[in-house]
Structure formats: C-alpha cells, structure tokens
Amino acid sequence: MHSTPLPERAVSLSADKPDHDELAPHEVTELLQAWGAGDARAPEALVPLVYAELRRQAKRALRREGEGHTLQATALVHEALLRLDGQHDARWESRSQFLAVAAQMMRRVLVDHARTRRALKRGGGETHVTLGDASNAAALPDTVDVLALDDALARLAILDPRKARLVELRYFAGMSIPEAATALGISVATVGREWAVARMWLRRELES
C-alpha cells in the first residue's frame, strides 16, 4: 500500500462529529481498497467515516491504563492512523479487518509509550493496564504491567495466534465478544470458548 499523507481535516475531528456507523460496510471497504491502491483522495474520504469508532477504541484502551498515563484518545488515534498509513503491503478486505489492525497499532503505541516512560524513569514506574472481568473466564488481577501483558501475548501468539489476536481485540480495542467474532470471522460461541481459555492461560503467565 502506498503511503499517503494523512488529511489535515483528521486532526480537527472530535467525538462530537456525527457517527457514520450506519454507512454501508461496502462503502468503507471500497475506500480502504482505493487507499491500498494508492488513491491519495481515499484517506481524506475514509478517515471521517471510521474516526468515531477509532476514538471509541482509543478511549476504551486508555480506560484500562492505570493512573498517571499521559496519552489522550485523540493522540492515540492519530498515532495509530500514521502507523496504519505505513502498512504498505496491507490488503484491506473489510471495515472490521481495518478496525482489528487499528487495535494492533494502538497496542503498539501503548507499549512503545510504556517503554519510553520506563526508560525515562530508569527502570522504575511500571505502566499498568486494567483488566476487566468477563463471563466464562477465571478472574485476572485488577491491573498488570502493560509490558508484561505484551510479552505474554507474544508468547501466546507463538502457541495460538488467533487467541492472541482475540486478547488484543478485547484488551487493547475493548471490543465486545460479538465485535471480536466479526473481526476474526468466527462464531460468537467460538470466541466465548477461546476467550475463556486465553484468559486462564494469561492468568497463569502473569501470576507466575
């Protein structure tokens, strides 16, 4: 995918703008495909259509951060968009796929931010992420170090990439089980089972 500058209008958008969720998914998909083909006009048309959902993802992800984090939702969205624009080989297939990749970019932003803060504090001051409860799964600690969570997800990705993606969508994008099922292209029942297994595995890893 050819890199194109993000439109200036993207930085002026806010949560008060109209929500475009009612737009036909194929319209977003067509713009994503045009962006991937190098159409410089596509990002300007696309960003307003997905911005509200990206900002909701960012706000959910930041709510899981412990006290003291300095990132704002708008900054997280813009950094994720810049990284998305750098996905030169991406082959966009749908709006849900785009949002799933956006969740991955947000995870990377949060992890990089945590590493920078830790380096500035010379090894002190862990950055924590809050892990909410979920049904059909063993409880996890209320908070864990975001870098420890990232390391655990990297290990899980080696064992079971789909479960790692599921955790990423749930923790870093704050997606519901039905939303994650759509993004992964599997049934809600399958997501429920895999989510329970992934949470139990993470509990062992994070408490060991």
Side-chain angles (χ1 to χ4, degrees), residues 47-80:
V47 169
L49 304 187
V50 297
Y51 189 87
E53 178 59 31
L54 290 175
R55 199 167 191 279
R56 281 196 293 270
Q57 283 190 0
K59 290 175 74 174
R60 287 192 295 252
L62 290 172
R63 277 201 300 268
R64 296 178 182 277
E65 293 267 339
E67 293 183 1
H69 74 81
T70 57
L71 272 177
Q72 299 297 319
T74 299
L76 180 54
V77 169
H78 294 165
E79 179 65 24

PDB file of all heavy atoms in Angstrom, residues 47-80:
ATOM      1  N   VAL A  47     -11.185   8.634   6.571  1.00  0.00           N
ATOM      2  CA  VAL A  47     -10.962   8.949   7.980  1.00  0.00           C
ATOM      3  C   VAL A  47     -12.218   9.436   8.698  1.00  0.00           C
ATOM      4  O   VAL A  47     -12.528   8.955   9.796  1.00  0.00           O
ATOM      5  CB  VAL A  47      -9.799   9.952   8.135  1.00  0.00           C
ATOM      6  CG1 VAL A  47      -9.734  10.499   9.552  1.00  0.00           C
ATOM      7  CG2 VAL A  47      -8.472   9.283   7.784  1.00  0.00           C
ATOM      8  N   PRO A  48     -12.998  10.366   8.124  1.00  0.00           N
ATOM      9  CA  PRO A  48     -14.211  10.785   8.842  1.00  0.00           C
ATOM     10  C   PRO A  48     -15.212   9.649   9.057  1.00  0.00           C
ATOM     11  O   PRO A  48     -15.980   9.685  10.021  1.00  0.00           O
ATOM     12  CB  PRO A  48     -14.810  11.868   7.929  1.00  0.00           C
ATOM     13  CG  PRO A  48     -13.656  12.361   7.119  1.00  0.00           C
ATOM     14  CD  PRO A  48     -12.796  11.159   6.888  1.00  0.00           C
ATOM     15  N   LEU A  49     -15.193   8.639   8.195  1.00  0.00           N
ATOM     16  CA  LEU A  49     -16.148   7.540   8.316  1.00  0.00           C
ATOM     17  C   LEU A  49     -15.801   6.567   9.439  1.00  0.00           C
ATOM     18  O   LEU A  49     -16.686   5.906   9.987  1.00  0.00           O
ATOM     19  CB  LEU A  49     -16.250   6.767   6.994  1.00  0.00           C
ATOM     20  CG  LEU A  49     -16.616   7.568   5.744  1.00  0.00           C
ATOM     21  CD1 LEU A  49     -16.836   6.630   4.572  1.00  0.00           C
ATOM     22  CD2 LEU A  49     -17.848   8.424   5.976  1.00  0.00           C
ATOM     23  N   VAL A  50     -14.522   6.454   9.746  1.00  0.00           N
ATOM     24  CA  VAL A  50     -14.090   5.489  10.769  1.00  0.00           C
ATOM     25  C   VAL A  50     -13.573   6.164  12.030  1.00  0.00           C
ATOM     26  O   VAL A  50     -13.301   5.484  13.018  1.00  0.00           O
ATOM     27  CB  VAL A  50     -12.996   4.547  10.202  1.00  0.00           C
ATOM     28  CG1 VAL A  50     -13.545   3.721   9.047  1.00  0.00           C
ATOM     29  CG2 VAL A  50     -11.761   5.340   9.767  1.00  0.00           C
ATOM     30  N   TYR A  51     -13.457   7.475  12.022  1.00  0.00           N
ATOM     31  CA  TYR A  51     -12.823   8.179  13.143  1.00  0.00           C
ATOM     32  C   TYR A  51     -13.568   7.968  14.455  1.00  0.00           C
ATOM     33  O   TYR A  51     -12.954   7.745  15.504  1.00  0.00           O
ATOM     34  CB  TYR A  51     -12.715   9.670  12.839  1.00  0.00           C
ATOM     35  CG  TYR A  51     -11.891  10.428  13.849  1.00  0.00           C
ATOM     36  CD1 TYR A  51     -10.502  10.537  13.707  1.00  0.00           C
ATOM     37  CD2 TYR A  51     -12.480  11.013  14.959  1.00  0.00           C
ATOM     38  CE1 TYR A  51      -9.742  11.220  14.634  1.00  0.00           C
ATOM     39  CE2 TYR A  51     -11.719  11.693  15.894  1.00  0.00           C
ATOM     40  CZ  TYR A  51     -10.353  11.797  15.729  1.00  0.00           C
ATOM     41  OH  TYR A  51      -9.597  12.461  16.659  1.00  0.00           O
ATOM     42  N   ALA A  52     -14.896   8.046  14.415  1.00  0.00           N
ATOM     43  CA  ALA A  52     -15.670   7.909  15.650  1.00  0.00           C
ATOM     44  C   ALA A  52     -15.420   6.554  16.298  1.00  0.00           C
ATOM     45  O   ALA A  52     -15.235   6.463  17.521  1.00  0.00           O
ATOM     46  CB  ALA A  52     -17.159   8.095  15.363  1.00  0.00           C
ATOM     47  N   GLU A  53     -15.381   5.479  15.505  1.00  0.00           N
ATOM     48  CA  GLU A  53     -15.135   4.152  16.062  1.00  0.00           C
ATOM     49  C   GLU A  53     -13.702   4.029  16.560  1.00  0.00           C
ATOM     50  O   GLU A  53     -13.450   3.427  17.619  1.00  0.00           O
ATOM     51  CB  GLU A  53     -15.426   3.075  15.020  1.00  0.00           C
ATOM     52  CG  GLU A  53     -15.152   1.660  15.494  1.00  0.00           C
ATOM     53  CD  GLU A  53     -15.964   1.281  16.731  1.00  0.00           C
ATOM     54  OE1 GLU A  53     -17.090   1.787  16.888  1.00  0.00           O
ATOM     55  OE2 GLU A  53     -15.462   0.490  17.542  1.00  0.00           O
ATOM     56  N   LEU A  54     -12.744   4.597  15.821  1.00  0.00           N
ATOM     57  CA  LEU A  54     -11.354   4.557  16.276  1.00  0.00           C
ATOM     58  C   LEU A  54     -11.202   5.285  17.607  1.00  0.00           C
ATOM     59  O   LEU A  54     -10.465   4.837  18.498  1.00  0.00           O
ATOM     60  CB  LEU A  54     -10.440   5.191  15.227  1.00  0.00           C
ATOM     61  CG  LEU A  54     -10.246   4.408  13.928  1.00  0.00           C
ATOM     62  CD1 LEU A  54      -9.415   5.219  12.948  1.00  0.00           C
ATOM     63  CD2 LEU A  54      -9.591   3.053  14.190  1.00  0.00           C
ATOM     64  N   ARG A  55     -11.894   6.404  17.754  1.00  0.00           N
ATOM     65  CA  ARG A  55     -11.796   7.155  19.004  1.00  0.00           C
ATOM     66  C   ARG A  55     -12.437   6.384  20.157  1.00  0.00           C
ATOM     67  O   ARG A  55     -11.949   6.419  21.283  1.00  0.00           O
ATOM     68  CB  ARG A  55     -12.439   8.538  18.853  1.00  0.00           C
ATOM     69  CG  ARG A  55     -11.972   9.531  19.919  1.00  0.00           C
ATOM     70  CD  ARG A  55     -12.366  10.951  19.581  1.00  0.00           C
ATOM     71  NE  ARG A  55     -11.690  11.886  20.455  1.00  0.00           N
ATOM     72  CZ  ARG A  55     -12.089  12.179  21.692  1.00  0.00           C
ATOM     73  NH1 ARG A  55     -13.168  11.587  22.178  1.00  0.00           N
ATOM     74  NH2 ARG A  55     -11.427  13.033  22.442  1.00  0.00           N
ATOM     75  N   ARG A  56     -13.521   5.666  19.875  1.00  0.00           N
ATOM     76  CA  ARG A  56     -14.120   4.823  20.915  1.00  0.00           C
ATOM     77  C   ARG A  56     -13.148   3.719  21.330  1.00  0.00           C
ATOM     78  O   ARG A  56     -13.006   3.416  22.515  1.00  0.00           O
ATOM     79  CB  ARG A  56     -15.438   4.217  20.417  1.00  0.00           C
ATOM     80  CG  ARG A  56     -16.615   5.166  20.476  1.00  0.00           C
ATOM     81  CD  ARG A  56     -17.925   4.407  20.342  1.00  0.00           C
ATOM     82  NE  ARG A  56     -18.075   3.812  19.027  1.00  0.00           N
ATOM     83  CZ  ARG A  56     -18.651   4.414  18.001  1.00  0.00           C
ATOM     84  NH1 ARG A  56     -19.111   5.654  18.130  1.00  0.00           N
ATOM     85  NH2 ARG A  56     -18.769   3.804  16.830  1.00  0.00           N
ATOM     86  N   GLN A  57     -12.475   3.117  20.337  1.00  0.00           N
ATOM     87  CA  GLN A  57     -11.475   2.094  20.650  1.00  0.00           C
ATOM     88  C   GLN A  57     -10.377   2.684  21.538  1.00  0.00           C
ATOM     89  O   GLN A  57      -9.961   2.066  22.524  1.00  0.00           O
ATOM     90  CB  GLN A  57     -10.845   1.550  19.367  1.00  0.00           C
ATOM     91  CG  GLN A  57     -11.709   0.574  18.591  1.00  0.00           C
ATOM     92  CD  GLN A  57     -10.935  -0.110  17.481  1.00  0.00           C
ATOM     93  OE1 GLN A  57      -9.750   0.146  17.305  1.00  0.00           O
ATOM     94  NE2 GLN A  57     -11.595  -0.964  16.743  1.00  0.00           N
ATOM     95  N   ALA A  58      -9.908   3.871  21.166  1.00  0.00           N
ATOM     96  CA  ALA A  58      -8.819   4.502  21.916  1.00  0.00           C
ATOM     97  C   ALA A  58      -9.243   4.822  23.346  1.00  0.00           C
ATOM     98  O   ALA A  58      -8.492   4.588  24.302  1.00  0.00           O
ATOM     99  CB  ALA A  58      -8.370   5.775  21.202  1.00  0.00           C
ATOM    100  N   LYS A  59     -10.447   5.332  23.516  1.00  0.00           N
ATOM    101  CA  LYS A  59     -10.922   5.671  24.855  1.00  0.00           C
ATOM    102  C   LYS A  59     -11.074   4.423  25.721  1.00  0.00           C
ATOM    103  O   LYS A  59     -10.744   4.431  26.912  1.00  0.00           O
ATOM    104  CB  LYS A  59     -12.251   6.432  24.759  1.00  0.00           C
ATOM    105  CG  LYS A  59     -12.103   7.837  24.192  1.00  0.00           C
ATOM    106  CD  LYS A  59     -13.438   8.522  23.982  1.00  0.00           C
ATOM    107  CE  LYS A  59     -14.045   8.947  25.292  1.00  0.00           C
ATOM    108  NZ  LYS A  59     -15.274   9.754  25.086  1.00  0.00           N
ATOM    109  N   ARG A  60     -11.547   3.321  25.112  1.00  0.00           N
ATOM    110  CA  ARG A  60     -11.664   2.072  25.869  1.00  0.00           C
ATOM    111  C   ARG A  60     -10.290   1.566  26.273  1.00  0.00           C
ATOM    112  O   ARG A  60     -10.093   1.094  27.393  1.00  0.00           O
ATOM    113  CB  ARG A  60     -12.414   1.018  25.049  1.00  0.00           C
ATOM    114  CG  ARG A  60     -13.901   1.268  24.919  1.00  0.00           C
ATOM    115  CD  ARG A  60     -14.617   0.059  24.353  1.00  0.00           C
ATOM    116  NE  ARG A  60     -14.216  -0.244  22.994  1.00  0.00           N
ATOM    117  CZ  ARG A  60     -14.978  -0.039  21.921  1.00  0.00           C
ATOM    118  NH1 ARG A  60     -16.184   0.493  22.056  1.00  0.00           N
ATOM    119  NH2 ARG A  60     -14.550  -0.360  20.722  1.00  0.00           N
ATOM    120  N   ALA A  61      -9.338   1.644  25.344  1.00  0.00           N
ATOM    121  CA  ALA A  61      -7.983   1.171  25.646  1.00  0.00           C
ATOM    122  C   ALA A  61      -7.361   2.006  26.760  1.00  0.00           C
ATOM    123  O   ALA A  61      -6.719   1.461  27.673  1.00  0.00           O
ATOM    124  CB  ALA A  61      -7.116   1.236  24.385  1.00  0.00           C
ATOM    125  N   LEU A  62      -7.554   3.315  26.719  1.00  0.00           N
ATOM    126  CA  LEU A  62      -6.950   4.188  27.718  1.00  0.00           C
ATOM    127  C   LEU A  62      -7.626   4.064  29.075  1.00  0.00           C
ATOM    128  O   LEU A  62      -6.989   4.275  30.109  1.00  0.00           O
ATOM    129  CB  LEU A  62      -6.989   5.645  27.234  1.00  0.00           C
ATOM    130  CG  LEU A  62      -6.049   5.954  26.064  1.00  0.00           C
ATOM    131  CD1 LEU A  62      -6.293   7.348  25.527  1.00  0.00           C
ATOM    132  CD2 LEU A  62      -4.586   5.793  26.491  1.00  0.00           C
ATOM    133  N   ARG A  63      -8.911   3.705  29.089  1.00  0.00           N
ATOM    134  CA  ARG A  63      -9.588   3.492  30.372  1.00  0.00           C
ATOM    135  C   ARG A  63      -8.968   2.325  31.130  1.00  0.00           C
ATOM    136  O   ARG A  63      -9.065   2.245  32.355  1.00  0.00           O
ATOM    137  CB  ARG A  63     -11.086   3.236  30.162  1.00  0.00           C
ATOM    138  CG  ARG A  63     -11.900   4.499  30.015  1.00  0.00           C
ATOM    139  CD  ARG A  63     -13.367   4.227  30.316  1.00  0.00           C
ATOM    140  NE  ARG A  63     -13.941   3.244  29.421  1.00  0.00           N
ATOM    141  CZ  ARG A  63     -14.569   3.532  28.281  1.00  0.00           C
ATOM    142  NH1 ARG A  63     -14.657   4.796  27.875  1.00  0.00           N
ATOM    143  NH2 ARG A  63     -15.092   2.576  27.535  1.00  0.00           N
ATOM    144  N   ARG A  64      -8.340   1.411  30.402  1.00  0.00           N
ATOM    145  CA  ARG A  64      -7.703   0.255  31.038  1.00  0.00           C
ATOM    146  C   ARG A  64      -6.320   0.599  31.591  1.00  0.00           C
ATOM    147  O   ARG A  64      -5.707  -0.216  32.279  1.00  0.00           O
ATOM    148  CB  ARG A  64      -7.595  -0.907  30.047  1.00  0.00           C
ATOM    149  CG  ARG A  64      -8.954  -1.443  29.589  1.00  0.00           C
ATOM    150  CD  ARG A  64      -8.778  -2.569  28.579  1.00  0.00           C
ATOM    151  NE  ARG A  64     -10.046  -3.051  28.097  1.00  0.00           N
ATOM    152  CZ  ARG A  64     -10.819  -3.939  28.717  1.00  0.00           C
ATOM    153  NH1 ARG A  64     -10.440  -4.429  29.872  1.00  0.00           N
ATOM    154  NH2 ARG A  64     -11.968  -4.325  28.207  1.00  0.00           N
ATOM    155  N   GLU A  65      -5.806   1.777  31.240  1.00  0.00           N
ATOM    156  CA  GLU A  65      -4.500   2.187  31.750  1.00  0.00           C
ATOM    157  C   GLU A  65      -4.632   2.634  33.200  1.00  0.00           C
ATOM    158  O   GLU A  65      -5.649   3.188  33.614  1.00  0.00           O
ATOM    159  CB  GLU A  65      -3.937   3.340  30.908  1.00  0.00           C
ATOM    160  CG  GLU A  65      -3.577   2.957  29.491  1.00  0.00           C
ATOM    161  CD  GLU A  65      -2.131   2.545  29.351  1.00  0.00           C
ATOM    162  OE1 GLU A  65      -1.332   2.922  30.227  1.00  0.00           O
ATOM    163  OE2 GLU A  65      -1.802   1.861  28.378  1.00  0.00           O
ATOM    164  N   GLY A  66      -3.585   2.413  33.959  1.00  0.00           N
ATOM    165  CA  GLY A  66      -3.591   2.870  35.344  1.00  0.00           C
ATOM    166  C   GLY A  66      -3.426   4.374  35.420  1.00  0.00           C
ATOM    167  O   GLY A  66      -3.252   5.061  34.408  1.00  0.00           O
ATOM    168  N   GLU A  67      -3.474   4.891  36.627  1.00  0.00           N
ATOM    169  CA  GLU A  67      -3.316   6.322  36.823  1.00  0.00           C
ATOM    170  C   GLU A  67      -1.923   6.760  36.393  1.00  0.00           C
ATOM    171  O   GLU A  67      -0.953   6.047  36.525  1.00  0.00           O
ATOM    172  CB  GLU A  67      -3.525   6.671  38.305  1.00  0.00           C
ATOM    173  CG  GLU A  67      -4.956   6.457  38.775  1.00  0.00           C
ATOM    174  CD  GLU A  67      -5.134   6.875  40.212  1.00  0.00           C
ATOM    175  OE1 GLU A  67      -4.146   7.345  40.817  1.00  0.00           O
ATOM    176  OE2 GLU A  67      -6.249   6.725  40.742  1.00  0.00           O
ATOM    177  N   GLY A  68      -1.855   7.970  35.871  1.00  0.00           N
ATOM    178  CA  GLY A  68      -0.559   8.530  35.524  1.00  0.00           C
ATOM    179  C   GLY A  68      -0.219   8.485  34.046  1.00  0.00           C
ATOM    180  O   GLY A  68       0.780   9.072  33.628  1.00  0.00           O
ATOM    181  N   HIS A  69      -1.031   7.815  33.226  1.00  0.00           N
ATOM    182  CA  HIS A  69      -0.712   7.791  31.809  1.00  0.00           C
ATOM    183  C   HIS A  69      -0.961   9.176  31.225  1.00  0.00           C
ATOM    184  O   HIS A  69      -1.805   9.936  31.707  1.00  0.00           O
ATOM    185  CB  HIS A  69      -1.530   6.729  31.078  1.00  0.00           C
ATOM    186  CG  HIS A  69      -2.975   7.079  30.884  1.00  0.00           C
ATOM    187  ND1 HIS A  69      -3.403   7.909  29.871  1.00  0.00           N
ATOM    188  CD2 HIS A  69      -4.088   6.720  31.572  1.00  0.00           C
ATOM    189  CE1 HIS A  69      -4.708   8.045  29.948  1.00  0.00           C
ATOM    190  NE2 HIS A  69      -5.145   7.337  30.979  1.00  0.00           N
ATOM    191  N   THR A  70      -0.204   9.522  30.196  1.00  0.00           N
ATOM    192  CA  THR A  70      -0.282  10.869  29.633  1.00  0.00           C
ATOM    193  C   THR A  70      -0.880  10.904  28.235  1.00  0.00           C
ATOM    194  O   THR A  70      -1.102  11.987  27.696  1.00  0.00           O
ATOM    195  CB  THR A  70       1.123  11.507  29.587  1.00  0.00           C
ATOM    196  OG1 THR A  70       2.007  10.655  28.832  1.00  0.00           O
ATOM    197  CG2 THR A  70       1.678  11.674  30.997  1.00  0.00           C
ATOM    198  N   LEU A  71      -1.128   9.762  27.639  1.00  0.00           N
ATOM    199  CA  LEU A  71      -1.727   9.739  26.303  1.00  0.00           C
ATOM    200  C   LEU A  71      -3.194  10.127  26.363  1.00  0.00           C
ATOM    201  O   LEU A  71      -3.904   9.756  27.303  1.00  0.00           O
ATOM    202  CB  LEU A  71      -1.606   8.340  25.693  1.00  0.00           C
ATOM    203  CG  LEU A  71      -0.342   8.013  24.914  1.00  0.00           C
ATOM    204  CD1 LEU A  71      -0.389   6.561  24.456  1.00  0.00           C
ATOM    205  CD2 LEU A  71      -0.163   8.919  23.713  1.00  0.00           C
ATOM    206  N   GLN A  72      -3.647  10.857  25.363  1.00  0.00           N
ATOM    207  CA  GLN A  72      -5.058  11.180  25.204  1.00  0.00           C
ATOM    208  C   GLN A  72      -5.605  10.376  24.033  1.00  0.00           C
ATOM    209  O   GLN A  72      -4.858   9.945  23.149  1.00  0.00           O
ATOM    210  CB  GLN A  72      -5.235  12.682  24.955  1.00  0.00           C
ATOM    211  CG  GLN A  72      -4.739  13.553  26.099  1.00  0.00           C
ATOM    212  CD  GLN A  72      -5.506  13.313  27.384  1.00  0.00           C
ATOM    213  OE1 GLN A  72      -6.723  13.167  27.378  1.00  0.00           O
ATOM    214  NE2 GLN A  72      -4.792  13.259  28.508  1.00  0.00           N
ATOM    215  N   ALA A  73      -6.935  10.184  24.015  1.00  0.00           N
ATOM    216  CA  ALA A  73      -7.555   9.369  22.973  1.00  0.00           C
ATOM    217  C   ALA A  73      -7.243   9.906  21.580  1.00  0.00           C
ATOM    218  O   ALA A  73      -6.930   9.145  20.667  1.00  0.00           O
ATOM    219  CB  ALA A  73      -9.064   9.294  23.192  1.00  0.00           C
ATOM    220  N   THR A  74      -7.322  11.218  21.414  1.00  0.00           N
ATOM    221  CA  THR A  74      -7.067  11.806  20.098  1.00  0.00           C
ATOM    222  C   THR A  74      -5.643  11.524  19.634  1.00  0.00           C
ATOM    223  O   THR A  74      -5.416  11.148  18.479  1.00  0.00           O
ATOM    224  CB  THR A  74      -7.301  13.328  20.130  1.00  0.00           C
ATOM    225  OG1 THR A  74      -8.667  13.574  20.482  1.00  0.00           O
ATOM    226  CG2 THR A  74      -7.019  13.956  18.772  1.00  0.00           C
ATOM    227  N   ALA A  75      -4.682  11.669  20.539  1.00  0.00           N
ATOM    228  CA  ALA A  75      -3.291  11.401  20.186  1.00  0.00           C
ATOM    229  C   ALA A  75      -3.091   9.933  19.832  1.00  0.00           C
ATOM    230  O   ALA A  75      -2.352   9.611  18.887  1.00  0.00           O
ATOM    231  CB  ALA A  75      -2.375  11.799  21.340  1.00  0.00           C
ATOM    232  N   LEU A  76      -3.736   9.042  20.571  1.00  0.00           N
ATOM    233  CA  LEU A  76      -3.617   7.611  20.291  1.00  0.00           C
ATOM    234  C   LEU A  76      -4.188   7.279  18.923  1.00  0.00           C
ATOM    235  O   LEU A  76      -3.602   6.503  18.152  1.00  0.00           O
ATOM    236  CB  LEU A  76      -4.322   6.807  21.380  1.00  0.00           C
ATOM    237  CG  LEU A  76      -4.292   5.276  21.252  1.00  0.00           C
ATOM    238  CD1 LEU A  76      -2.866   4.761  21.103  1.00  0.00           C
ATOM    239  CD2 LEU A  76      -4.974   4.628  22.454  1.00  0.00           C
ATOM    240  N   VAL A  77      -5.335   7.873  18.579  1.00  0.00           N
ATOM    241  CA  VAL A  77      -5.938   7.644  17.265  1.00  0.00           C
ATOM    242  C   VAL A  77      -5.015   8.128  16.160  1.00  0.00           C
ATOM    243  O   VAL A  77      -4.773   7.431  15.171  1.00  0.00           O
ATOM    244  CB  VAL A  77      -7.303   8.353  17.157  1.00  0.00           C
ATOM    245  CG1 VAL A  77      -7.795   8.353  15.706  1.00  0.00           C
ATOM    246  CG2 VAL A  77      -8.327   7.653  18.039  1.00  0.00           C
ATOM    247  N   HIS A  78      -4.475   9.337  16.305  1.00  0.00           N
ATOM    248  CA  HIS A  78      -3.645   9.900  15.236  1.00  0.00           C
ATOM    249  C   HIS A  78      -2.353   9.112  15.043  1.00  0.00           C
ATOM    250  O   HIS A  78      -1.902   8.896  13.911  1.00  0.00           O
ATOM    251  CB  HIS A  78      -3.343  11.369  15.528  1.00  0.00           C
ATOM    252  CG  HIS A  78      -4.562  12.233  15.475  1.00  0.00           C
ATOM    253  ND1 HIS A  78      -4.602  13.509  15.993  1.00  0.00           N
ATOM    254  CD2 HIS A  78      -5.796  11.999  14.965  1.00  0.00           C
ATOM    255  CE1 HIS A  78      -5.803  14.019  15.811  1.00  0.00           C
ATOM    256  NE2 HIS A  78      -6.540  13.125  15.190  1.00  0.00           N
ATOM    257  N   GLU A  79      -1.764   8.658  16.166  1.00  0.00           N
ATOM    258  CA  GLU A  79      -0.553   7.836  16.056  1.00  0.00           C
ATOM    259  C   GLU A  79      -0.877   6.505  15.382  1.00  0.00           C
ATOM    260  O   GLU A  79      -0.109   6.021  14.540  1.00  0.00           O
ATOM    261  CB  GLU A  79       0.051   7.602  17.436  1.00  0.00           C
ATOM    262  CG  GLU A  79       1.306   6.736  17.438  1.00  0.00           C
ATOM    263  CD  GLU A  79       2.486   7.377  16.723  1.00  0.00           C
ATOM    264  OE1 GLU A  79       2.522   8.616  16.618  1.00  0.00           O
ATOM    265  OE2 GLU A  79       3.358   6.627  16.255  1.00  0.00           O
ATOM    266  N   ALA A  80      -2.019   5.917  15.729  1.00  0.00           N
ATOM    267  CA  ALA A  80      -2.423   4.659  15.097  1.00  0.00           C
ATOM    268  C   ALA A  80      -2.672   4.856  13.603  1.00  0.00           C
ATOM    269  O   ALA A  80      -2.303   4.007  12.786  1.00  0.00           O
ATOM    270  CB  ALA A  80      -3.681   4.112  15.774  1.00  0.00           C
TER     271      ALA A  80
END
